[in-house]
């Protein structure tokens, strides 16, 4: 990545590591996978564990990690089998396997998932700032604002982001914002560390009632949140291209996914164990009003605020290529930011929205398309076991997509 006349970043542009070579070492690839996957979704896991029960939550989390790891490797195997040098992204792979229809489906899903992440970011920022500054003075102010303008404090903060996001998303080349994704991960890890320390302290003082199994009716909800938390399938092809020892990529990816799953699982269980039924949809909201807690929440808001234009960039790249001959179009960008802002204003709950995006879009990208493409490309040389596994994951993706979307929409509209 760089400046000048180099190509614009696309949905597959890695945030760490440069192309052309030098190629990535095993450690750098591990770090890239970590950055591609770990994000704000982790903050909704304790709430998901409250809904599903801690044991079912863990079971769901590790199952999803294993399945996503398997499906990511399917994309790598498909590219190796096709042997086409210009397959750089998921969209290119869709085109190589299914022509224009394949590319179109992949690109629509990437637009929905990336824009969905950005909606989640705005909900997080609005909810967190409303909780943080909800002191006696500001409550009076927010009540008068609600009375005068009919807007809640959360909506006000989301609208407050809008003009700044218009400015940030008008920047043509965002490659120099890539280091902010590393900053974002450092802040995420810092926030997780603070939350875990607080969780352990609180668990020692009080032992709230916790449930191991929340019942089958909420298992799809939990899977939706887990799929969202592990979403990063679009990055696997460029990350494999950049690795020096490509034959070791599968092992490095599996280790990364296991590490992230253990980290996610610990975070989810400890959060739920500390607060029990009081666990909120964004776990940092449970921390109270201390200085450290406030700094962590503000840091997360700042990092998501600056990650927003990075996540929207693939959307701009696809939409401008489809509707504006690949040329930069500022009003189209403004329109897309407005749409994302309006959706964020309509959704009441962060974790419910994670589950909706995870169940609908991320299931299709993570499970359905990789197995479908694999079945098409390897149809003549597959053993029955591999064929059965592919069909099993494909059907699971469809069932989870439909039922998880339904249950998430029910949750959203009941509030």
């Amino acid at each position: 990545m760089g400046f000048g006349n180099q190509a614009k970043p696309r949905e597959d542009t890695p945030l760490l590591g440069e192309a052309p070579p030098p190629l990535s070492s095993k450690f750098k690839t591990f770090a890239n996978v970590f950055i591609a996957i770990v994000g704000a979704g982790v903050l909704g896991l304790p709430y998901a564990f409250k809904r599903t029960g801690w044991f079912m939550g863990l079971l769901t989390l590790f199952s999803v990690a294993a399945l996503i790891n398997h499906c990511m490797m399917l994309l790598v195997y498909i590219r190796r089998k096709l042997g086409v040098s210009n397959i750089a992204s998921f969209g290119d792979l869709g085109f190589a396997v299914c022509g224009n229809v394949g590319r179109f489906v992949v690109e629509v899903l990437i637009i929905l998932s990336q824009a969905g992440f950005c909606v989640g970011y705005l909900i997080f920022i609005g909810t967190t700032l409303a909780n943080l500054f909800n002191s006696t003075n500001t409550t009076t102010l927010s009540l008068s604002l609600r009375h005068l303008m009919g807007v809640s404090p959360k909506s006000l903060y989301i609208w407050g982001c809008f003009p700044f996001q218009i400015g940030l998303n008008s920047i043509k080349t965002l490659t120099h914002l890539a280091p902010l994704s590393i900053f974002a991960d450092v802040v995420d890890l810092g926030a997780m560390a603070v939350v875990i320390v607080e969780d352990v302290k609180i668990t020692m003082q009080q032992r709230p009632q916790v449930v191991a199994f929340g019942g089958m009716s909420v298992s799809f909800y939990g899977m939706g949140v887990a799929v969202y938390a592990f979403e990063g399938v679009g990055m696997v092809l460029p990350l494999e291209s950049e690795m020096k020892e490509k034959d070791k990529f599968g092992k490095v990816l599996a280790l990364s996914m296991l590490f992230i799953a253990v980290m996610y699982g610990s975070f989810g269980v400890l959060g739920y164990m500390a607060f029990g039924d009081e666990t909120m949809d964004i776990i940092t909201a449970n921390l109270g009003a201390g200085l450290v807690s406030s700094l962590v929440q503000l840091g997360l808001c700042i990092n998501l605020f600056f990650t927003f234009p990075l996540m929207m960039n693939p959307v701009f790249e696809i939409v401008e290529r489809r509707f504006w001959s690949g040329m930069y179009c500022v009003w189209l960008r403004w329109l897309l930011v407005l749409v994302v802002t309006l959706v964020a204003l309509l959704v009441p709950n962060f974790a419910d929205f994670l589950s909706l995006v995870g169940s609908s879009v991320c299931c299709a990208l993570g499970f359905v398309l990789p197995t479908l493409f694999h079945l098409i490309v390897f149809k003549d040389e597959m053993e029955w076991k591999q064929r059965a596994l592919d069909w099993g994951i494909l059907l699971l993706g469809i069932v989870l997509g439909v039922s998880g979307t339904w249950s998430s929409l029910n949750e959203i509209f009941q509030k």
Side-chain angles (χ1 to χ4, degrees):
M1 282 187 285
F3 305 100
N5 298 321
Q6 291 189 3
K8 262 176 37 168
R10 307 155 28 119
E11 80 269 11
D12 57 336
T13 307
L15 299 175
L16 265 187
E18 294 191 9
L23 296 172
S24 302
S25 63
K26 285 185 278 192
F27 178 75
K28 198 169 184 183
T29 304
F30 181 94
N32 270 325
V33 173
F34 189 86
I35 282 174
I37 290 173
V38 175
V42 66
L43 300 170
L45 285 173
Y47 179 81
F49 277 39
K50 177 183 97 168
R51 301 288 314 284
T52 61
W54 65 266
F55 187 77
M56 187 187 266
L58 280 176
L59 207 62
T60 303
L61 197 70
F62 280 92
S63 305
V64 166
L67 287 172
I68 293 226
N69 178 71
H70 174 75
C71 290
M72 282 177 161
M73 285 310 296
L74 290 185
L75 296 179
V76 173
Y77 299 145
I78 293 166
R79 179 166 68 179
R80 288 175 185 171
K81 163 79 174 165
L82 292 172
V84 183
S85 59
N86 62 349
I87 299 178
S89 69
F90 202 168
D92 293 340
L93 193 76
F95 180 74
V97 176
C98 297
N100 285 321
V101 174
R103 187 190 289 281
F104 178 76
V105 170
V106 170
E107 288 185 345
V108 165
L109 290 172
I110 283 172
I111 287 172
L112 291 174
S113 69
Q114 298 293 115
F117 296 152
C118 291
V119 169
Y121 292 172
L122 289 179
I123 296 168
F124 178 89
I125 291 168
T127 307
T128 303
L129 292 179
N131 288 340
L132 264 183
F133 300 113
N134 205 17
S135 63
T136 317
N137 299 332
T138 48
T139 305
T140 317
L141 176 66
S142 43
L143 283 171
S144 56
L145 278 168
R146 193 184 291 230
H147 181 70
L148 285 170
M149 299 163 63
V151 287
S152 65
K154 175 184 147 187
S155 301
L156 201 67
Y157 287 119
I158 292 174
W159 274 122
C161 291
F162 180 66
F164 297 103
Q165 286 300 345
I166 285 283
L168 275 176
N169 287 276
S170 301
I171 300 169
K172 271 189 190 180
T173 307
L174 288 175
T175 46
H176 55 288
L177 282 181
L180 285 170
S181 72
I182 303 165
F183 164 75
D185 272 299
V186 170
V187 176
D188 276 342
L189 287 171
M192 285 172 70
V194 170
V195 172
I196 285 170
V197 170
E198 289 295 314
D199 290 347
V200 172
K201 274 193 210 163
I202 292 162
T203 311
M204 305 289 273
Q205 293 162 4
Q206 56 184 47
R207 299 259 174 105
Q209 268 318 103
V210 291
V211 180
F213 290 95
M216 287 308 292
S217 59
V218 287
S219 60
F220 286 125
Y221 178 92
M223 282 193 96
V225 175
V227 172
Y228 181 105
F230 280 106
E231 173 50 34
V233 71
M235 298 295 281
V236 72
L237 294 175
L239 289 177
E240 195 256 354
S241 296
E242 287 199 340
M243 188 164 172
K244 200 180 294 174
E245 301 171 75
K246 291 185 175 36
D247 54 322
K248 304 269 175 68
F249 180 75
K251 197 178 282 185
V252 172
L253 182 66
L255 274 173
S256 309
M257 295 296 277
L258 179 62
F259 177 76
I260 294 167
V262 169
M263 191 179 77
Y264 276 4
S266 312
F267 187 78
V269 168
L270 285 168
Y272 175 43
M273 295 277 184
F275 300 105
D277 283 342
E278 302 297 312
T279 307
M280 295 176 80
D281 62 323
I282 301 171
I283 188 64
T284 46
N286 281 103
L287 293 180
L291 176 66
V292 175
S293 147
S294 300
L295 287 174
V296 165
Q297 292 180 70
L298 272 176
L300 286 166
C301 288
I302 291 164
N303 108 45
L304 294 183
F305 182 84
F306 285 110
T307 309
F308 186 103
L310 278 172
M311 297 305 271
M312 284 299 286
N313 221 44
V315 178
F316 300 148
E317 189 270 326
I318 293 167
V319 172
E320 285 171 352
R321 177 157 41 79
R322 290 266 172 195
F323 298 104
W324 215 253
S325 311
M327 304 289 285
Y328 168 80
C329 176
V330 73
W331 66 263
L332 208 50
R333 291 179 174 219
W334 290 3
L335 182 65
L336 289 164
V337 174
L338 177 64
V339 169
V340 166
T341 304
L342 290 173
V343 174
L345 290 166
L346 295 172
V347 180
N349 180 292
F350 179 68
D352 289 345
F353 189 75
L354 296 197
S355 182
L356 176 63
V357 176
S359 301
S360 53
V361 182
C362 300
C363 266
L365 277 173
F367 297 148
V368 176
L369 291 183
T371 47
L372 183 63
F373 291 169
H374 193 251
L375 282 164
I376 292 169
V377 172
F378 286 86
K379 62 178 183 292
D380 298 326
E381 53 193 271
M382 252 192 218
E383 291 182 10
W384 70 269
K385 285 180 188 171
Q386 179 63 61
R387 197 183 296 275
L389 182 63
D390 277 3
W391 274 109
I393 297 171
L394 179 68
L395 291 172
L396 173 76
I398 292 168
V399 169
L400 175 58
V402 172
S403 54
T405 302
W406 177 253
S407 81
S408 303
L409 285 172
N410 272 343
E411 288 293 331
I412 287 169
F413 288 120
Q414 275 170 15
K415 291 180 179 174

